[in-house]
């Protein structure tokens, strides 16, 4: 399922619900429907920037390591398996972070699920 964020400050941002949930959980918001007010935007930007900085310190997660070992280990080496393409939290969060910055600077709300 997709979530579309809207604001008068920027173009729409659409992402998968599972990816939006992680961001919205950090902000204490419901994934199905909600608003980040212009007054809340500065804190939301700060929280996302902090989380992006933190996630950049940890390049590969345990999930990625499990995927690697599932296809390449002592018993087998799956050469036909696609190479890993890691999409970081920073990459996923960036469009919404930019919207939040514009909303903060322009004094607009960010809405989804309405």
């Amino acid at each position: 399922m997709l979530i579309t964020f809207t604001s008068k400050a920027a173009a729409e941002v659409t992402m998968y619900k599972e990816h939006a949930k992680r961001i919205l959980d950090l902000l204490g918001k419901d994934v199905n429907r909600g608003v980040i007010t212009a007054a809340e935007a500065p804190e939301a930007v700060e929280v996302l920037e902090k989380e992006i900085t933190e996630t950049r310190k940890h390049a590969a997660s345990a999930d990625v390591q499990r995927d690697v070992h599932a296809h390449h280990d002592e018993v087998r080496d799956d050469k036909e398996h696609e190479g890993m393409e890691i999409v970081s939290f920073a990459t996923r969060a960036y469009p919404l972070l930019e919207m939040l910055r514009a909303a903060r600077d322009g004094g607009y709300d960010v809405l989804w699920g309405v």
Side-chain angles (χ1 to χ4, degrees), residues 18-84:
E18 65 193 63
H19 301 143
K21 182 175 181 355
R22 179 169 178 208
I23 294 168
L24 294 171
D25 283 350
L26 287 169
L27 302 176
K29 299 291 184 175
D30 183 357
V31 72
N32 294 312
R33 182 177 182 176
V35 61
I36 298 170
T37 65
E40 295 172 319
E43 183 180 351
V45 168
E46 187 177 314
V47 167
L48 285 181
E49 287 174 342
K50 183 178 176 184
E51 184 66 13
I52 286 169
T53 300
E54 187 62 31
T55 60
R56 286 184 173 157
K57 293 178 185 177
H58 311 287
S61 71
D63 291 338
V64 172
Q65 291 301 320
R66 272 196 299 277
D67 184 56
V68 169
H69 295 298
H71 297 283
H72 308 281
D73 58 24
E74 307 84 36
V75 179
R76 66 179 176 270
D77 190 15
D78 184 358
K79 295 190 186 319
E80 294 183 25
H81 184 262
E82 300 172 0
M84 288 187 306

